[in-house]
Amino acid sequence: MIPLIFGITLITFTVIHLTHRDLVGRETEPKETATYGDAVIEGTIGEPSTLIPMLAGDSASHSVAGMIFNGIVKYHTDLSVIGDLAESWTISSDGMVIVFRLKKGVKWADGVEFTADDVMFGYKTIIDEKTPTPYKEDYMQVKKFEVLDRYTFRVTYKKPFAPALTSWGNLVVLPKHLLEGKDITKSDFGRNPIGTGPYKLKKWVSGQEVVLDSNRSYFDGRPYIDRYIYRVIPDPATLFLELQAGGIDMMGLTPIQYTKQTDTDFFRKNFQKFRYPAFSYTYMGFNLRHPWFKDKRVRQAIAHAIDKSEIIDVVLFGLGSPATGPYVPNTWPYNPDVKKYEFDPGKAKRLLKEAGWEDTDGDGIIEKDGKPFQFTILTNMGNRLRINTATIIQWRLAKVGIKVEIRLLEWSTLINEFIDKRRFEAVILGWSIGLDPDQYDIWHSGKTREKEFNFVSYSNPLVDTLLEKGRRTFDIEERKKAYYKIQEILADDLPYVFLYVPDAIPIVHSRVKGIKPSPIGISYNLPKWYVPEKLQRYRIEP
Amino acid sequence: MKIFWKRFKRNKLAVAGGVIVVVLFVIAVLAPFISPFNPNDIDRKHILEPPGARHPLGTDDLGRDVLSRMLYGSRISLAVGFIAAGIATITGMLLGAVSGYYGGWTDRAMMRFIDIMLSIPTFFLVLAVIAFVGPSIWNIMIVIGFTSWMGVARLVRAEFLSLKEREFVLAAKALGASDMRIILRHIMVNSMAPVFVSAILGVASAILVESALSFLGIGVQPPTPSWGNMLTSGKDNIEIAWWLSLFPGIAILITVLSYNLFGEGLRDALDPRLWRD
Amino acid sequence: MVCAGKTPEIQNRALKMLTYLIKRLLEMIPTLFGITLLSFFIIHLAPGKPTDILTELNPKITPEARLKLEKYYGLDKPIIVQYGMWLKRIVKLDFGESFSGDRRPVMERIWDTKKPLLERRLFITFLINVLSMLIIFIIAVPVGIFSATHQYSLYDKITTTSVFIGFAIPSFWLALLLMMLFGVHLGWLPISGLKSMNYDSLTLMEKIWDRTLHLLLPVFVSSFGGLAGLSRYMRGSMLEVLRQDYVTTARAKGLSEKRVIYGHALRNALLPIITLLGLSVPGLIGGSVIFENIFGIPGMGQLFFMGVMTRDYPLIMGILTIGAILTLIGNLLADIGYMLADPRIRVK
């Protein structure tokens, strides 16, 4: 009897242990080969401008700052919100009050404990009118911020605000004891930050590299990689050459590099490539105030004249998927069943004819009321993918009788002189999609004033209502319904021709283990990456 | 004139340069007729193909034929070269003439202005201005033109300073000829030769500047092919598409070289100081 | 001022040179003024404001926040006032704060006193340019002389052609080709940056070697074009000098050809070269934009390009001015060199 019970218990325990991973839902593989040490070098084109998150407008700064600072909450790989510095939180039933309880014993890199006072300080700083930050908006919705005790704080909103929870990221976490009373723009903090995160800044050589050392007492466990270096190399060709020469271990590839240059034995042996849909999409936006583009048939005709698969094949080498709306496939707000526009130049011509456009004088360009159909597409310089996309569209539209000029502009000129002032006919740009589906600022008819983001001047009262609905409720199903309907309408109205969602294609040296690609990328678990002892390349003295 | 020809023909390199200059001009003019493909035709089935039967110089990252694009690119290079050099030369002549003829404060101010212009690294200047006013082909021509006139101006000024006091000028003045007439008819004509040489050399350097600008991304806009912007995509694909980097680079090299050889040859042939031997 | 042991003639000459020097320095001032005006004018040709790069296409910014940003950067005052404000500070070499790069003072971005000399941007560009000039000089002079003394020979034709090719080659193309060849295929030279990853752990000798290797390609590319120009001028200058009467005289006197060339002719032929070297400074500085970008060298050229792309007005004006100042200094030095070398010079 007893041996039987013992045997069953033993087997049960063994089975549970082997399936432990599935029960808990998180990765709990035995890390017997995970060793500390080594350094990983990431090559990047852009250099951070400052390491204070709320002051930085560029992605390079946020990338690095993200390793140094934690947020109150963060995203899990399944896109749900989990706590970073927060242990837990409760949201009131009307959604207007959130109480956060922070983890205890988290220390800033200088040893002082992190408390709710630091969050209050961060919040006060970001809404301070003296702080030059572009991210105030979300925090201006807060009516009251109260510190309840050392590790608890309560936020009360003026109105229910669905993106509220996720707004408590790393923008508002700053060390009060170091910055109180100082002007953060003048302090040295942007170049010598102190954070709570897995890495701390060791040195920053302007124009060359940012060196981060691991935080041995990181609250979530000491990172395995002892040092992380961002090496700034402004030229993509050089970047790739450095990768091969061993000067960098990691970089974001271009579609051509991914497809044609990394399939040799050398690459297969020494590198690992990753590929997953990025959280962004590229589109061609029409200025809906333009008399020609006001006609929906014209917009739809243009969509039919473009062969999205051709663009994805040629520009992205197949590393992407067609976009049908402002959401990325396989995320919960994404609606897969909206109207699609197959490549059909014949249909395009018919629609154009319906709208009054025909080639009456045989010069290859269609006219209406004596005016030839000619317009200019604007896009920004330096982005090879967008430039090639514009070129392909230009060529395709020529085949249905539309003449397109392409104008490349330097980024700030494009935004300030043309987009903001609505002085454009069409533009090719991309949006980075936040993880919260609220896109009020882009589609709401009220957001069309100068410098606001509905620069195409889109106006649809039903969409307006749905947008409002989507952000004022916390019920995921309700929100989903609203966003699904919005996508249906957008697919018909076509204020943009949604072009493609590119794949993110990073490459990392093969000695780095523990990388787990997910919808939110590969760097989310960087502190858990490691290099087995015998493969380590660099010895870092503490 | 005859002496000049004889001297010029002796310099074989210069003659070769001259011949190529003419050939390039002809090619540029005939480009639409001799291109095998439309330079803008995108072909998803022939992306980044090496030189072969169908595409003798290969294809680029959008499947477009490199040979055709290079033929059309010559039009841009030559157009920019000629017009920019033209603007530079004319500006230089005018300013140099005025400065040299009138002398005095005008001259001093002009020399100061030239010093200023020469002190700022030209490429910095061009880069800054283009990036601010936008890279249209006209802007490029104008900016390059307005930043390279200084050499011509100095040359013309020197001529004027030396010729101003000569008898035929004094005679013309005595006869009541207007300043303008003297400047144009008498003095200018005598300084045409070195100015012409300057102009030719100016074409070469304008082409180099345009290709550098296009290479950096602030030159000619897509889909218009220019040798410089073809080299940018060459750079991006340097390891897998050597033909994209090689041919446009060679084209620039040969063109600039020919103009330089031709110009230098002209200069040697025209230089009176070298006549004695 | 009595200098014991010096003859009045030398004293006189020293005085003349000093006066000339002061005159030149004074002359430089209006030129400098003109340069600042020109830079300022250029910057304001541009439409738009530099705060745009900070705000980008970010759905989170309100129009009020944007206005505040602009006020913060002082962009709401009239142009004359802006220029006046700027000029006042320039005299102290204070070019204001860079709009990007964490709002550090422009001068600090160019010449960071917190960093070792070898790592300051201005110094880096300066170093590369000086090395280029040295190389140009060392190579171009003998090549030019030899060409002149063996005019029309095969050697002359070959060097002429290769020198011309050097003149016609786009530097960025050359850079890429060399990088591919020496950096990747042969693996002999590093392809970017100024020092290796493990620089800090190297011995002094190794450190010097490491830096040298990194500098090899950039300096070569930088000097390539200049080589052509200078050797050509050397040749021309030498040719001209060799035709002078005093050379014929020297030959007639029976001096050996070698003495004629190296003793008399050379000295005089070199004079315009010195001036030319000085004049090549702006070209070198300008060219640094391209190769610093390609080779990833953190010098002033790279900084300028970044500044232009991000519309960083203070930075652009600062670098344009500094570049111009360097040029003026280069010219001044060339003039001084010329003056010292030529005993015949008449100082007006």
Side-chain angles (χ1 to χ4, degrees):
Chain A
M1 196 56 183
I2 297 191
L4 188 60
I5 296 177
F6 184 71
I8 293 177
T9 321
L10 189 60
I11 293 174
T12 318
F13 264 75
T14 317
V15 169
I16 290 178
H17 178 74
L18 288 172
T19 57
H20 188 38
R21 185 194 322 177
D22 304 307
L23 284 179
V24 173
R26 300 264 182 103
E27 310 75 24
T28 50
E29 287 158 311
K31 292 196 183 75
E32 68 265 12
T33 47
T35 39
Y36 294 103
D38 211 358
V40 167
I41 311 176
E42 178 174 349
T44 157
I45 296 188
E47 184 185 6
S49 56
T50 170
L51 292 177
I52 301 179
M54 70 170 75
L55 295 182
D58 58 305
S59 55
S61 299
H62 283 290
S63 252
V64 181
M67 310 263 264
I68 300 178
F69 291 95
N70 297 98
I72 311 291
V73 298
K74 65 180 179 186
Y75 281 97
H76 185 47
T77 52
D78 62 7
L79 301 183
S80 60
V81 180
I82 54 175
D84 197 357
L85 287 169
E87 178 72 52
S88 62
W89 58 89
T90 39
I91 309 179
S92 67
S93 46
D94 60 5
M96 307 223 288
V97 182
I98 312 181
V99 177
F100 287 97
R101 281 172 289 279
L102 301 169
K103 293 182 177 153
K104 303 188 176 59
V106 175
K107 298 235 171 41
W108 292 99
D110 61 353
V112 174
E113 195 186 17
F114 160 73
T115 66
D117 283 331
D118 292 317
V119 187
M120 173 163 229
F121 175 75
Y123 161 72
K124 286 230 175 90
T125 312
I126 205 172
I127 57 170
D128 186 335
E129 60 168 47
K130 291 205 239 60
T131 310
T133 169
Y135 305 107
K136 273 189 225 297
E137 175 75 33
D138 280 351
Y139 305 95
M140 303 294 273
Q141 306 271 334
V142 173
K143 186 159 89 178
K144 212 169 25 168
F145 186 111
E146 302 160 285
V147 170
L148 298 180
D149 66 45
R150 198 172 160 77
Y151 304 106
T152 322
F153 66 92
R154 175 168 65 203
V155 200
T156 311
Y157 283 85
K158 299 173 187 157
K159 285 197 276 188
F161 186 59
L165 180 61
T166 52
S167 72
W168 297 96
N170 69 4
L171 292 174
V172 282
V173 177
L174 287 177
K176 176 174 176 177
H177 65 282
L178 289 174
L179 292 172
E180 180 157 45
K182 300 209 181 103
D183 180 349
I184 57 166
T185 57
K186 296 221 184 340
S187 86
D188 202 29
F189 197 74
R191 295 197 68 93
N192 282 302
I194 303 277
T196 57
Y199 285 89
K200 28 187 198 182
L201 181 75
K202 173 150 200 318
K203 76 173 165 174
W204 180 352
V205 181
S206 208
Q208 282 193 286
E209 58 183 14
V210 182
V211 180
L212 304 176
D213 272 355
S214 68
N215 177 1
R216 309 249 162 143
S217 38
Y218 183 49
F219 70 85
D220 202 27
R222 171 188 164 188
Y224 292 100
I225 307 274
D226 280 347
R227 179 168 287 175
Y228 200 85
I229 304 178
Y230 283 88
R231 226 183 121 184
V232 180
I233 299 174
D235 179 68
T238 318
L239 204 55
F240 193 61
L241 289 174
E242 279 286 11
L243 184 75
Q244 295 167 76
I248 58 176
D249 299 313
M250 176 174 160
M251 65 179 270
L253 295 171
T254 64
I256 290 186
Q257 287 165 346
Y258 185 92
T259 330
K260 291 209 165 200
Q261 294 177 266
T262 46
D263 271 337
T264 61
D265 281 337
F266 171 75
F267 271 97
R268 271 191 281 267
K269 187 159 122 57
N270 294 297
F271 293 97
Q272 37 188 333
K273 295 193 286 193
F274 301 93
R275 174 189 168 179
Y276 51 90
F279 254 81
S280 69
Y281 67 90
T282 302
Y283 63 92
M284 178 162 84
F286 298 104
N287 187 344
L288 299 170
R289 290 192 194 161
H290 191 292
W292 298 348
F293 293 135
K294 275 200 174 116
D295 188 333
K296 188 159 78 173
R297 287 171 300 192
V298 169
R299 307 197 294 270
Q300 293 179 337
I302 289 180
H304 278 297
I306 297 174
D307 183 353
K308 286 186 202 175
S309 73
E310 176 179 59
I311 296 180
I312 294 175
D313 269 354
V314 175
V315 175
L316 299 178
F317 273 79
L319 297 164
S321 43
T324 52
Y327 294 101
V328 170
N330 296 319
T331 56
W332 66 264
Y334 175 72
N335 181 348
D337 297 317
V338 297
K339 182 169 174 187
K340 309 222 178 31
Y341 295 84
E342 345 66 61
F343 172 56
D344 189 343
K347 188 157 179 193
K349 286 198 189 147
R350 280 195 305 276
L351 276 169
L352 286 165
K353 195 161 171 187
E354 257 180 57
W357 292 95
E358 247 192 295
D359 183 12
T360 43
D361 57 9
D363 64 347
I365 304 180
I366 50 180
E367 301 90 23
K368 178 168 153 177
D369 306 326
K371 293 217 195 93
F373 201 143
Q374 181 175 328
F375 72 94
T376 306
I377 295 182
L378 302 178
T379 193
N380 57 304
M381 295 200 269
N383 188 326
R384 183 100 255 157
L385 300 183
R386 279 187 203 157
I387 295 173
N388 284 354
T389 304
T391 311
I392 295 180
I393 291 180
Q394 175 190 50
W395 186 63
R396 279 291 171 204
L397 288 182
K399 291 196 187 291
V400 298
I402 300 179
K403 182 159 178 219
V404 170
E405 301 251 319
I406 299 177
R407 199 166 160 198
L408 297 184
L409 295 165
E410 184 264 325
W411 181 251
S412 15
T413 314
L414 174 64
I415 299 306
N416 188 80
E417 283 307 303
F418 295 88
I419 305 280
D420 284 346
K421 299 210 165 107
R422 315 293 184 246
R423 278 168 48 197
F424 69 96
E425 290 159 332
V427 66
I428 291 188
L429 286 174
W431 282 116
S432 248
I433 306 173
L435 290 166
D436 185 284
D438 174 40
Q439 295 192 8
Y440 189 93
D441 292 328
I442 300 178
W443 305 112
H444 195 279
S445 60
K447 288 288 183 177
T448 52
R449 289 175 302 179
E450 182 171 330
K451 291 188 188 291
E452 291 186 327
F453 290 104
N454 184 351
F455 53 81
V456 291
S457 310
Y458 178 61
S459 174
N460 184 318
L462 185 51
V463 170
D464 285 349
T465 321
L466 290 166
L467 284 168
E468 192 62 44
K469 205 160 148 218
R471 66 184 347 204
R472 298 283 170 217
T473 169
F474 281 82
D475 181 333
I476 294 233
E477 285 311 309
E478 282 299 311
R479 296 189 81 193
K480 192 167 169 174
K481 268 199 250 169
Y483 295 122
Y484 262 51
K485 188 86 185 120
I486 289 179
Q487 282 168 79
E488 261 177 54
I489 303 176
L490 286 178
D492 184 59
D493 275 348
L494 230 49
Y496 296 170
V497 175
F498 297 95
L499 295 169
Y500 59 78
V501 173
D503 286 338
I505 33 182
I507 187 170
V508 186
H509 194 266
S510 54
R511 73 180 195 282
V512 182
K513 315 282 182 203
I515 304 179
K516 296 187 182 25
S518 80
I520 56 174
I522 54 171
S523 304
Y524 66 94
N525 74 339
L526 209 137
K528 304 284 178 222
W529 294 0
Y530 65 93
V531 179
E533 185 149 18
K534 45 186 166 49
L535 297 176
Q536 289 185 9
R537 240 189 208 176
Y538 304 104
R539 151 161 270 104
I540 312 295
E541 309 304 327
Chain B
M1 208 47 198
K2 278 243 157 65
I3 311 170
F4 157 75
W5 263 125
K6 249 181 89 180
R7 290 186 50 78
F8 184 73
K9 274 201 285 198
R10 265 223 304 214
N11 187 345
K12 300 243 170 39
L13 283 176
V15 172
V19 167
I20 298 183
V21 165
V22 173
V23 166
L24 283 170
F25 189 75
V26 169
I27 288 180
V29 169
L30 292 181
F33 303 104
I34 49 180
S35 294
F37 291 86
N38 181 318
N40 294 328
D41 269 353
I42 293 169
D43 189 350
R44 79 209 268 185
K45 292 201 180 53
H46 294 277
I47 302 221
L48 288 174
E49 258 185 23
R54 193 178 137 104
H55 298 282
L57 295 184
T59 63
D60 70 358
D61 52 343
L62 286 179
R64 299 177 294 196
D65 178 47
V66 173
L67 177 60
S68 311
R69 287 181 72 74
M70 274 190 45
L71 290 173
Y72 274 81
S74 69
R75 310 181 105 195
I76 299 288
S77 296
L78 289 181
V80 173
F82 273 90
I83 298 186
I87 294 178
T89 311
I90 295 179
T91 317
M93 285 202 304
L94 282 171
L95 294 180
V98 164
S99 181
Y101 188 72
Y102 289 109
W105 278 110
T106 326
D107 187 30
R108 297 252 277 276
M110 188 58 63
M111 288 307 282
R112 179 69 60 199
F113 184 44
I114 291 183
D115 271 342
I116 294 174
M117 288 294 289
L118 284 175
S119 304
I120 304 185
T122 317
F123 198 65
F124 271 25
L125 199 58
V126 171
L127 199 67
V129 175
I130 292 283
F132 292 158
V133 303
S136 81
I137 194 170
W138 285 103
N139 285 354
I140 296 173
M141 291 181 196
I142 294 174
V143 173
I144 297 180
F146 281 140
T147 47
S148 17
W149 53 267
M150 292 84 79
V152 176
R154 276 196 171 161
L155 226 132
V156 172
R157 172 183 175 272
E159 288 286 328
F160 269 65
L161 281 177
S162 73
L163 291 175
K164 196 161 65 161
E165 307 298 328
R166 295 266 284 271
E167 293 108 22
F168 68 92
V169 172
L170 295 171
K173 264 202 178 140
L175 285 175
S178 72
D179 281 343
M180 190 56 78
R181 219 180 132 83
I182 297 180
I183 290 178
L184 289 175
R185 287 272 336 259
H186 300 280
I187 308 185
M188 195 69 91
V189 167
N190 281 298
S191 37
M192 277 319 269
V195 166
F196 187 62
V197 169
S198 252
I200 303 245
L201 295 176
V203 171
S205 79
I207 294 181
L208 274 177
V209 176
E210 180 271 321
S211 68
L213 288 175
S214 296
F215 178 74
L216 288 173
I218 40 184
V220 166
Q221 305 291 280
T224 318
S226 128
W227 293 337
N229 70 21
M230 286 172 78
L231 276 176
T232 321
S233 52
K235 173 192 86 167
D236 292 338
N237 299 303
I238 196 167
E239 288 178 68
I240 51 172
W242 55 268
W243 56 96
L244 288 179
S245 300
L246 189 66
F247 300 123
I250 291 184
I252 299 176
L253 178 58
I254 293 183
T255 310
V256 173
L257 191 60
S258 334
Y259 274 89
N260 277 343
L261 287 175
F262 182 51
E264 290 284 342
L266 275 181
R267 170 186 288 168
D268 280 351
L270 287 170
D271 189 347
R273 290 177 298 177
L274 295 176
W275 281 7
R276 315 179 241 121
D277 73 315
Chain C
M1 192 174 75
V2 179
C3 309
K6 293 208 171 146
T7 69
E9 190 192 290
I10 297 180
Q11 250 185 333
N12 205 2
R13 188 156 166 234
L15 199 60
K16 267 201 184 146
M17 297 209 314
L18 202 60
T19 340
Y20 181 68
L21 204 70
I22 297 180
K23 253 192 97 181
R24 288 284 275 117
L25 279 173
L26 284 176
E27 277 182 359
M28 265 167 55
I29 296 180
T31 313
L32 271 175
F33 190 76
I35 290 171
T36 63
L37 242 154
L38 196 60
S39 328
F40 195 79
F41 169 71
I42 291 168
I43 306 309
H44 287 270
L45 281 174
K49 303 186 194 69
T51 47
D52 299 325
I53 205 69
L54 198 65
T55 57
E56 292 192 359
L57 260 188
N58 190 320
K60 300 288 179 194
I61 189 168
T62 60
E64 296 83 28
R66 217 179 296 243
L67 273 168
K68 289 204 173 78
L69 272 170
E70 283 167 16
K71 204 164 177 171
Y72 193 58
Y73 284 111
L75 295 172
D76 57 337
K77 304 215 172 57
I79 283 217
I80 310 284
V81 178
Q82 282 184 51
Y83 180 64
M85 287 177 5
W86 184 73
L87 204 59
K88 253 195 283 184
R89 293 180 302 181
I90 276 227
V91 183
K92 292 182 269 157
L93 272 192
D94 171 14
F95 291 104
E97 287 167 1
S98 167
F99 282 154
S100 48
D102 195 30
R103 305 206 67 230
R104 282 183 302 150
V106 168
M107 209 49 213
E108 193 187 301
R109 290 193 79 186
I110 303 176
W111 184 258
D112 193 346
T113 45
K114 296 197 206 106
K115 280 199 270 190
L117 185 69
L118 283 179
E119 311 219 335
R120 302 182 195 171
R121 283 189 184 269
L122 179 55
F123 180 78
I124 291 172
T125 305
F126 177 74
L127 182 69
I128 296 186
N129 285 331
V130 164
L131 287 174
S132 301
M133 288 202 289
L134 266 170
I135 297 209
I136 292 177
F137 190 75
I138 293 176
I139 298 187
V141 167
V143 167
I145 295 178
F146 204 74
S147 266
T149 53
H150 298 78
Q151 198 182 11
Y152 299 129
S153 69
L154 184 65
Y155 172 84
D156 186 28
K157 289 213 171 71
I158 293 180
T159 38
T160 308
T161 320
S162 24
V163 138
F164 265 103
I165 291 181
F167 214 45
I169 264 196
S171 58
F172 49 93
W173 189 50
L174 182 65
L176 281 170
L177 293 178
L178 291 177
M179 235 158 92
M180 280 289 317
L181 182 62
F182 290 106
V184 182
H185 283 139
L186 292 176
W188 290 351
L189 293 172
I191 43 183
S192 70
L194 284 177
K195 51 184 188 174
S196 306
M197 256 290 299
N198 54 353
Y199 183 78
D200 293 320
S201 51
L202 298 173
T203 66
L204 183 63
M205 280 312 293
E206 286 176 329
K207 276 186 177 161
I208 296 182
W209 183 240
D210 186 52
R211 287 220 182 248
T212 313
L213 282 183
H214 277 91
L215 282 175
L216 224 55
L217 281 182
V219 170
F220 182 70
V221 169
S222 170
S223 43
F224 205 65
L227 268 175
L230 208 76
S231 58
R232 194 78 191 136
Y233 266 90
M234 188 67 219
R235 174 185 182 274
S237 173
M238 196 64 184
L239 277 176
E240 185 166 320
V241 159
L242 284 176
R243 289 189 166 83
Q244 298 289 340
D245 293 333
Y246 64 85
V247 169
T248 334
T249 320
R251 281 205 187 108
K253 282 204 323 210
L255 289 173
S256 78
E257 193 64 15
K258 248 209 168 109
R259 271 207 75 184
V260 172
I261 298 176
Y262 294 110
H264 294 78
L266 185 57
R267 198 138 182 254
N268 292 298
L270 270 182
L271 296 177
I273 301 301
I274 298 179
T275 322
L276 220 83
L277 264 184
L279 288 176
S280 69
V281 171
L284 285 174
I285 297 183
S288 61
V289 177
I290 299 180
F291 73 76
E292 278 184 20
N293 244 320
I294 299 188
F295 287 112
I297 295 192
M300 211 170 65
Q302 189 198 66
L303 189 62
F304 185 71
F305 189 65
M306 281 169 17
V308 161
M309 285 301 131
T310 54
R311 299 276 210 74
D312 193 332
Y313 293 174
L315 187 64
I316 296 174
M317 298 217 281
I319 297 186
L320 270 177
T321 316
I322 298 251
I325 292 177
L326 284 177
T327 310
L328 288 177
I329 294 181
N331 282 348
L332 188 66
L333 288 175
D335 273 354
I336 294 178
Y338 193 99
M339 211 173 53
L340 287 170
D342 187 354
R344 295 174 304 158
I345 191 162
R346 298 256 177 282
V347 180
K348 279 183 283 199

